[in-house]
Amino acid sequence: MINKVGVIGAGQMGNGIAHVMAVAGIDVVLKDVSNEQLEKGLKVIETNLQRQVGRGKLTEEEMASALTRINPTITDDLMSDVDLVVEAATENEEIKKVILADICVKLKPETIIATNTSSISVTRLAAVTDRPDQFMGMHFMNPVPVMQLVELIRGIATNEETFEKVKQLTTRLNKTPTPAEDFPAFIVNRILLPMINEAVYTLYEGVGSVRAIDTAMRLGANHPMGPLQLADFIGLDVCLAIMQVLYEGLADTKYRPCPLLVKYVEAGWLGQKSGRGFYDYTGDEPVPTR
């Protein structure tokens, strides 16, 4: 049974994964490269827990208990007795490979490794570890404390015991596990990101403004959030990275990233996290930039 989990990365996804693990009664080692990043991540966790308390989903006691279960660190040493490590670093294959190769020497032989990649081949990532049979994808949705789904992706070498243990853990987290095959971007992003990319093309070609496109999809397709607003929420750099994985992995021109998306990322306009994307977030209310 998985009772202690290591999470590598205290950013948007990593702090959310640590949050739901701790609420479920699981001890968490949360690692990042600096104390500053860890402090940011812990602050987000506390804010989100307080939000859950305010909505009656948790008690003050449950919140306090969850916070005591999270042990922040900037070294790999505390990973020596975890039952599962979840890598939640930036969506960059080379960075992930370095992290995964390095962490192996610190782990127990029986420790399972999972990657939270949203698009990269699980089989390729598994190949840099010393335990590809105990490696798989565990793709949480953003924001992790709110979203119900977790995609579970086997690599070519993943054994059944590993898959079943991770599936059982997902259920303990009150999430719904859904198996997906190890193809570029899996299920959710294989469908979602081309839609977002097409929305950017629609803007690029002048078919509609930012506000018109988002309003059309919210009211015409009953989406809770317009695709350009959603892109800003995800991060335009992440959207571009996933589209590049699809384009290169499937060799189909329908997945070519829109030049406007590329230009925004090159400008550092990454969405909410940078203060500007398809909307400007520097004021009291987001304002469309086109």
Side-chain angles (χ1 to χ4, degrees), residues 203-216:
L203 178 67
Y204 179 60
E205 294 168 4
V207 179
S209 65
V210 169
R211 193 178 299 281
I213 292 165
D214 278 353
T215 300

Side-chain angles (χ1 to χ4, degrees), residues 136-263:
M136 63 178 288
M138 192 179 190
H139 179 212
F140 290 83
M141 304 295 118
N142 184 36
V144 181
V146 176
M147 300 297 282
Q148 183 71 25
L149 184 75
V150 180
E151 286 182 312
L152 301 184
I153 307 101
R154 291 180 176 91
I156 196 170
T158 307
N159 63 37
E160 189 63 26
E161 181 182 3
T162 294
F163 183 83
E164 286 301 321
K165 284 183 177 179
V166 173
K167 182 179 178 181
Q168 290 168 14
L169 172 65
T170 304
T171 303
R172 282 172 61 195
L173 300 178
N174 290 317
K175 303 293 186 186
T176 300
T178 298
E181 293 301 317
D182 190 17
F183 284 91
F186 319 127
I187 296 172
V188 172
N189 284 331
R190 172 73 176 268
I191 297 168
L192 177 64
L193 264 297
M195 183 199 74
I196 289 174
N197 193 53
E198 193 62 28
V200 183
Y201 267 115
T202 304
L203 178 67
Y204 179 60
E205 294 168 4
V207 179
S209 65
V210 169
R211 193 178 299 281
I213 292 165
D214 278 353
T215 300
M217 292 306 292
R218 282 191 299 103
L219 302 184
N222 204 28
H223 289 193
M225 184 184 294
L228 300 177
Q229 183 186 4
L230 179 58
D232 276 358
F233 178 73
I234 293 170
L236 303 191
D237 53 336
V238 176
C239 292
L240 177 59
I242 295 171
M243 287 308 302
Q244 287 170 331
V245 167
L246 281 166
Y247 186 44
E248 293 164 10
L250 298 172
D252 192 324
T253 56
K254 73 181 181 181
Y255 298 115
R256 183 173 71 96
C258 178
L260 184 61
L261 177 61
V262 175
K263 186 178 292 186

Side-chain angles (χ1 to χ4, degrees), residues 26-83:
I26 297 165
D27 291 330
V28 179
V29 176
L30 180 60
K31 190 215 169 195
D32 212 310
V33 294
S34 70
N35 285 316
E36 181 184 6
Q37 290 299 112
L38 286 168
E39 287 169 8
K40 286 181 181 177
L42 290 169
K43 185 175 181 180
V44 171
I45 292 171
E46 186 169 0
T47 298
N48 288 337
L49 286 168
Q50 287 174 336
R51 186 175 291 118
Q52 289 182 315
V53 170
R55 292 174 178 171
K57 295 182 180 296
L58 290 177
T59 65
E60 291 280 359
E61 293 75 16
E62 288 169 332
M63 171 181 164
S65 180
L67 287 171
T68 64
R69 294 191 187 101
I70 301 173
N71 191 356
T73 181
I74 58 172
T75 73
D76 291 333
D77 296 336
L78 297 181
M79 298 287 186
S80 61
D81 64 343
V82 301
D83 304 309

Side-chain angles (χ1 to χ4, degrees), residues 116-132:
N116 185 57
T117 181
S118 55
S119 61
I120 300 167
S121 167
V122 171
T123 297
R124 284 203 306 270
L125 294 177
V128 304
T129 74
D130 60 358
R131 61 197 76 193

